[in-house]
Amino acid sequence: MKRRALIPVAVAATLALLGPAWAQEEAPPSTTDQAAAPSAQETDQGAAPPAKEADKAAAPPAKEAEKVAAPEAKEKEARHGSERHEQKPKRFDWSFAGAFGRYDKAQLRRGFKVYKEVCASCHSIKMLAFRNLSQPGGPEFPEKEVEALAASYKIKDGPNQAGEYFDRPGRPSDRFPPPFANEQAARAALAGNYPPDMSVLAKARGYSRGFPLFLFDALPGFSYQEHGVDYIVSLMEGYEDPPPDVKMPEGQFYDPYMPGRRIGMPPPLSEDVVTYEDGAPQTIDQYAKDVAAFMMWVAEPHLESRKRIGLGVVAFLLVFVGLLYFTKRKIWSNVPH
């Protein structure tokens, strides 16, 4: 009975200890707090709108700046992307184009003069012999003129009986000597640049004409064979000032037809740099076309004979097919079917 009597006393004591804590937690705010609270809220509410308005006022210009900057960045990126790729060369009319095309001998002679007076100081043409200049299908210079031209060059020959190499005047059977002894000498003289040999340059250079013209280029007899000369003329005429945001390295020049649009060769042609005796215009365009035609002949000197033989073969095959047809008709005409 004593233990049961102690339980209510313990519960009452516990409630008495916890009572003040509950009273403190659930106590309503005082009058001072109630008066201060609204003023703080009002202050916050009064201060919030100006900040939001300031953010709203500041946001539109930033977004507009982003909208304006985005197209400019895209345009600049697209321009730089296009500058990594060269332009397609222009297409020109050539006398040697097509199945019936022939070289213009006057143009080849002018082109050789441009090469000799402008290009020969840097570019070699090692596969061409002096005597080729007098052979049919080319410039067809007189043989005496070719002999004098060959004698004006010094050809390294030897060894002689003493085992030494020596220089002698050129002969028509000799090939054109290169302007530099080797590649290292050329790079040392031309600020690290090495000019390519021009013997087969007109056939080695090319470009894709795109759809659908490349389909015709894949067909024998229909392919366009003047890619190289188009490229050479476009390259020599294409020098221009670089765009303002493009920085060119020292010794490099801007040409949109060159891969990468940078070339180490200075502009080789200018007005009246070569004198023509036949009255042809002495312009950059004429110089470029003449030397390109000459380079085409150097790369393919037997073009006229090749086309002549090809046309003869086609004509023979047509006649042969006709004869076979009529022979077949004659043989099988009396055979019952």
Side-chain angles (χ1 to χ4, degrees), residues 34-45:
Q34 292 177 355
S39 61
Q41 293 177 359
E42 290 175 0
T43 303
D44 296 339
Q45 293 176 358

Side-chain angles (χ1 to χ4, degrees), residues 1 10 19 26 28 61 66 81 92 116 119 124 140 146 153 163 165 172 174 194 237 254 267 278 297 309 313 336:
M1 294 299 293
E26 297 178 0
E66 291 178 0
F92 301 92
K116 184 176 181 294
C119 308
S124 61
E140 298 185 6
V146 172
Y153 285 82
Y165 288 87
D174 294 323
Y194 182 57
E237 295 181 351
Y254 187 82
D278 59 355
W297 170 75
I309 293 173
V313 170

